[in-house]
Amino acid sequence: MRTLTALFFILLAAGALLAQTPKSDASPVRFITLAPGHFHASLVHKEMYPGLVSPVVHIYAPLGPDLVEHLGRLSLFNHRAEDPTTWQLEVHISPDFFQRMLREKPGNAVVLAGRNDVKIGYIEGSVDAGLNVLADKPWIIRAQDLPRVETVLNAATSKGVVAYDLMTERYEITTILQKALVNDASVFGTIERGTPQQPGVEMRSVHYVLKLVAGVPNLRPGWFFDVAQQGESLPDVGTHLMDLVSWTLFRDQPLDYRRDVKVSSAKHWPLTLTREQFGRVTNEKDFPSFLSANVHEGKLDWFCNGQVTYALKGVNVKLEPLWDYEAPHGDTHLAIYRGSKARVEVRQEEPEKFRPELYVIPNSATDGALVLAAVRKRIDALQAEYPGIGAEEKNDRIWITIPDKYRTTHESHFAQVTNQFLKYMRNPASLPAWENQNMMVKYYVSTRALAIANGR
C-alpha cells in the first residue's frame, strides 16, 4: 500500500511549484482534474499547451493512493530530462471534493479519468455548473444510465459548453489511413453487409494486465478489477472498437441508436488471476473484500473478456475486446473491413512484429491490378497530408508503408485528443452533431451487450 509519507513529499514538491504561480494568467483554459483514479488522467498533462491552457492545474480528490499515483506521474513529467513539463499544482483534498470543486470552480475545463461507476454523476454536475468536460471512456457501464448520457449532452449544448469523450484510437495512423481507404469506392467498393458469422466488420483487441515500465510493473488499483466499479471489457475498452466502426463507416453521418442499431448476441468470460498475479500488479497482499464474490479457491475470476455481434445500418459487426495477463510484447489489434472489391485490414500481431500495419487485399486475382492502381492513386492524393507514405505489393496483398515519423504512441494520442477538445471549447458550435449522436450509439451497444451477456 502506498504510504501517506509518499503523499506528503509529493505534496511538498507541489507546494514548491506553487511558489512560481503567476499572479495573472491570460490563458483561456484552466484545467481542473477531478478524482484522478486512472493513469489516463495524467496523460492529458504529459505535454504543455502553450498559450491555450494555464500551467496551473487544480486537483480535487479524496486523500488516498489514487491521488498519490497521479501526483507522482505529474512530478515525473515535470522532472524528466527531455522536454519537461511545467505544471503548477493546486491540490485540494477533502471528503466532499466534488461539492467543493463545484462551489469554488477555479477553472473552466474538468478532466476526468477514474472510477467508471460514478463518472456520469461527475459529468452531470460539472456540466450543470457550466464547466466543459474532457472525460475518459467509459462514461457509463450500466444500461440504465444511457438516458443520463443523452441528457447531459443536450445540457452541454444548451449551456454552450463541450462534453467530450477521450477517443484516442482515432489518432493512430493506421486507423486514419484505413478509414481513408475504406471510404474510397475505387479501392474498397461498398461495405459488405455480411452475416453474424462472417461480418462486414470484425475487430479484436487484446490488452495485458501486467505492463512493465523500466522493468517495474505499472501498478493498477485494486478497484480496477471490480467490474462493478471499472466495468467489464464490453462497456470499457470495447467502446474504442465501437467508436471506430461508426467513425470509419459513416464519417460525418449522425446515427440513431434507436433506429440504426440491433444488438444480436453477446457473451463474456473471465480471466483467472492467482493471488500472486494480483499482488504483482496491485502491490496488495490479498484480494480486497469487495472482490470476494468472484474469488474461488484462492483465485479471482475477473470478467474482462467479451464478444458482441450487432448490425449497424444493416452492416453486421463482430467485436472482441479481450484481456490476458502478460506478454513480452504490447497490446495487439485486428481490424478487418470487408468491401465488394477488397478487404482493408489493420494487423498488429506476430507477423507484424506487434507493430500496427495496414493492408489492402483484393477479393480476386483478376481485380488485383485495378485495386493496386486505385490504392496508389489514393495514396498519391494523401501525400499532401502524409508525405512519404507508399504502397507495395507483398504476396497476395498491398502493404501501405508508413514512415516512422507518423507512428506516434498511445500516450501521445492524449495530447492530440486534448487539442481537438480545446478547438471545440473555443467554438462550441463547431462540435459536429454526429459526435454526440454516435456517442449514444457506442454506449447503447456497449451497455446493451453487457446486459445480454448477463442474461438480461
Side-chain angles (χ1 to χ4, degrees):
M1 193 73 175
R2 298 78 164 176
T3 65
L4 294 184
T5 302
L7 179 59
F8 171 79
F9 283 110
I10 291 171
L11 290 175
L12 192 64
L17 291 172
L18 287 176
Q20 305 168 25
T21 302
K23 293 183 178 180
S24 62
D25 187 354
S27 299
V29 177
R30 301 178 307 283
F31 279 148
I32 304 169
T33 302
L34 183 64
H38 194 289
F39 72 93
H40 287 175
S42 64
L43 293 180
V44 170
H45 299 93
K46 193 174 181 182
E47 298 181 19
M48 303 298 294
Y49 308 89
L52 300 176
V53 177
S54 169
V56 180
V57 180
H58 289 263
I59 302 170
Y60 286 80
L63 181 65
D66 289 346
L67 177 61
V68 172
E69 290 291 333
H70 180 72
L71 294 176
R73 292 188 188 101
L74 295 188
S75 179
L76 288 175
F77 296 160
N78 269 4
H79 293 91
R80 66 193 177 205
E82 185 176 345
D83 192 25
T85 55
T86 55
W87 298 111
Q88 302 165 30
L89 310 181
E90 288 268 14
V91 183
H92 311 269
I93 300 173
S94 64
D96 65 339
F97 62 92
F98 184 42
Q99 292 73 22
R100 183 179 171 188
M101 185 276 288
L102 294 178
R103 290 194 305 270
E104 297 174 357
K105 288 198 296 186
N108 56 358
V110 175
V111 175
L112 273 168
R115 303 180 191 224
N116 298 324
D117 57 333
V118 295
K119 189 178 292 177
I120 187 63
Y122 294 153
I123 297 171
E124 289 170 330
S126 299
V127 168
D128 286 346
L131 298 169
N132 299 276
V133 176
L134 178 61
D136 192 29
K137 57 77 195 160
W139 286 22
I140 58 170
I141 57 176
R142 298 175 293 260
Q144 60 264 36
D145 287 332
L146 185 67
R148 299 173 70 181
V149 177
E150 191 164 29
T151 298
V152 79
L153 291 174
N154 291 337
T157 300
S158 66
K159 288 178 175 290
V161 297
V162 176
Y164 199 57
D165 209 354
L166 256 166
M167 288 286 103
T168 53
E169 297 307 310
R170 296 182 186 181
Y171 295 85
E172 158 59 39
I173 184 61
T174 53
T175 298
I176 293 169
L177 297 178
Q178 183 179 47
K179 178 180 180 179
L181 294 170
V182 165
N183 284 279
D184 189 323
S186 61
V187 171
F188 184 71
T190 56
I191 183 70
E192 296 285 355
R193 290 180 176 267
T195 66
Q197 296 73 35
Q198 180 73 5
V201 181
E202 186 173 357
M203 288 192 194
R204 181 179 65 247
S205 65
V206 184
H207 303 263
Y208 291 91
V209 179
L210 178 63
K211 294 183 178 179
L212 300 179
V213 179
V216 178
N218 183 32
L219 295 179
R220 300 179 186 273
W223 60 259
F224 179 84
F225 298 91
D226 181 7
V227 296
Q229 297 184 69
Q230 172 68 14
E232 297 191 21
S233 66
L234 286 168
D236 183 20
V237 292
T239 57
H240 278 301
L241 306 184
M242 297 159 196
D243 178 75
L244 290 179
V245 174
S246 301
W247 180 75
T248 300
L249 286 184
F250 303 103
R251 58 178 184 178
D252 304 337
Q253 295 182 43
L255 300 170
D256 186 337
Y257 76 93
R258 298 177 179 89
R259 183 185 65 235
D260 296 330
V261 185
K262 181 176 177 56
V263 182
S264 53
S265 69
K267 60 182 180 179
H268 63 167
W269 60 98
L271 173 67
T272 300
L273 301 176
T274 66
R275 185 175 281 104
E276 292 72 24
Q277 288 174 323
F278 181 82
R280 192 177 179 198
V281 297
T282 63
N283 210 24
E284 297 195 19
K285 295 180 180 179
D286 203 352
F287 299 117
S289 59
F290 55 75
L291 295 176
S292 59
N294 289 322
V295 175
H296 308 286
E297 298 180 353
K299 297 179 180 179
L300 172 67
D301 287 334
W302 177 39
F303 277 84
C304 60
N305 297 304
Q307 181 191 95
V308 59
T309 60
Y310 65 100
L312 181 62
K313 293 185 76 70
V315 177
N316 283 284
V317 178
K318 178 182 176 181
L319 307 178
E320 288 188 321
L322 309 173
W323 284 84
D324 208 340
Y325 183 69
E326 181 181 10
H329 49 75
D331 298 340
T332 64
H333 181 67
L334 171 70
I336 302 172
Y337 290 80
R338 296 183 171 96
S340 58
K341 292 183 179 180
R343 302 194 313 273
V344 181
E345 301 182 354
V346 171
R347 290 183 174 271
Q348 182 186 2
E349 299 173 313
E350 188 171 358
E352 290 77 34
K353 298 180 180 177
F354 302 102
R355 186 170 84 158
E357 299 290 357
L358 177 60
Y359 306 102
V360 179
I361 302 97
N363 288 344
S364 66
T366 55
D367 291 339
L370 291 175
V371 171
L372 176 60
V375 169
R376 285 179 169 161
K377 182 178 180 180
R378 183 60 178 158
I379 291 298
D380 286 344
L382 290 166
Q383 292 293 326
E385 192 169 0
Y386 302 104
I389 60 173
E392 295 182 7
E393 292 184 87
K394 190 174 185 179
N395 300 323
D396 64 337
R397 59 194 58 202
I398 303 162
W399 173 41
I400 308 303
T401 59
I402 302 170
D404 287 343
K405 63 183 177 180
Y406 301 124
R407 292 186 176 275
T408 53
T409 66
H410 172 64
E411 292 188 359
S412 67
H413 296 161
F414 283 82
Q416 293 175 284
V417 179
T418 302
N419 275 308
Q420 183 62 63
F421 169 70
L422 297 174
K423 289 179 183 178
Y424 289 144
M425 272 192 65
R426 290 196 292 274
N427 180 15
S430 67
L431 179 70
W434 60 262
E435 280 280 17
N436 287 351
Q437 290 178 255
N438 293 3
M439 191 187 303
M440 292 299 300
V441 167
K442 171 177 60 185
Y443 286 123
Y444 171 74
V445 172
S446 67
T447 56
R448 178 63 187 141
L450 182 61
I452 292 173
N454 282 315
R456 296 195 294 270

